[in-house]
Amino acid sequence: MTLIGYARVSTSGQDLALQREALATAGCVRIFSETASGALRERPELERMLDYARPADTIVVWKLDRLGRSIQHLIEVVTSLGERGVGFRSLTEGFDTTTPGGKLLFHVLGALAHFERDLIRERTMAGLATAKAAGRTGGRPPKLTERQVEMARQMHASGEHTITAIAEVLGVARPTVYRVLGSGSPP
């Protein structure tokens, strides 16, 4: 069994030293490090580390949030590791999927994350239904009022104004004028 470390900071102003030292102390023989926002989908060192890991290895992080962008992403990554026979350990939280208790805790976290997603979905649907019943619709407000749309149509129909001139008068971009005129885009 090989312990493989993964350390990440979000900005270049932050220091990886604390994480790297903790991972080395924990016995990691190889440590992958990178500076990248946790929100980024593409993290090259994370991908290298995941490719490097073999069955019976254990991925070690200093904290859970160093690995996943969200609880859902964390669950996906750890589940994928488990399917490959690779364990996962977080030093700060004491989380370890190579133990029966750690496996149980991981499944409970997964169930809670699923429950949270369902609750959010229910609240969103209820809010949309309430808004619809009150006559409100979602989305961005229109750039132009009905009066401005009519003005744009009249200016265009007269043949005396270009799309650019209409856009300047209304204070919007040309694609907006094309959209309200129904032509969708420039010819």
Side-chain angles (χ1 to χ4, degrees), residues 126-137:
L128 290 172
T130 301
K132 186 175 182 179
R136 295 188 314 265
T137 57

Side-chain angles (χ1 to χ4, degrees), residues 66-177:
R66 299 298 85 197
L67 183 67
R69 311 189 293 281
S70 64
I71 189 72
Q72 180 60 36
H73 180 247
L74 180 66
I75 289 168
E76 289 170 10
V77 171
V78 175
T79 299
S80 172
L81 290 171
E83 290 169 354
R84 294 174 40 208
V86 177
F88 173 73
R89 184 184 304 163
S90 172
L91 300 176
T92 304
E93 291 87 3
F95 185 84
D96 187 348
T97 64
T98 64
T99 68
K103 287 178 187 172
L104 172 65
L105 181 59
F106 176 71
H107 290 295
V108 170
L109 286 175
L112 288 172
H114 186 73
F115 177 68
E116 179 185 26
R117 280 192 312 279
D118 287 347
L119 285 178
I120 290 169
R121 188 176 307 118
E122 281 181 16
R123 285 192 299 258
T124 301
M125 298 308 287
L128 290 172
T130 301
K132 186 175 182 179
R136 295 188 314 265
T137 57
R140 178 182 277 186
K143 291 238 184 222
L144 300 174
T145 64
E146 286 299 319
R147 185 171 166 270
Q148 289 173 312
V149 170
E150 186 56 37
M151 178 190 289
R153 288 184 179 140
Q154 288 173 2
M155 291 173 75
H156 186 257
S158 75
E160 298 175 20
H161 305 281
T162 66
I163 296 295
T164 302
I166 296 169
E168 286 176 8
V169 167
L170 297 175
V172 295
R174 291 178 47 215
T176 302
V177 175

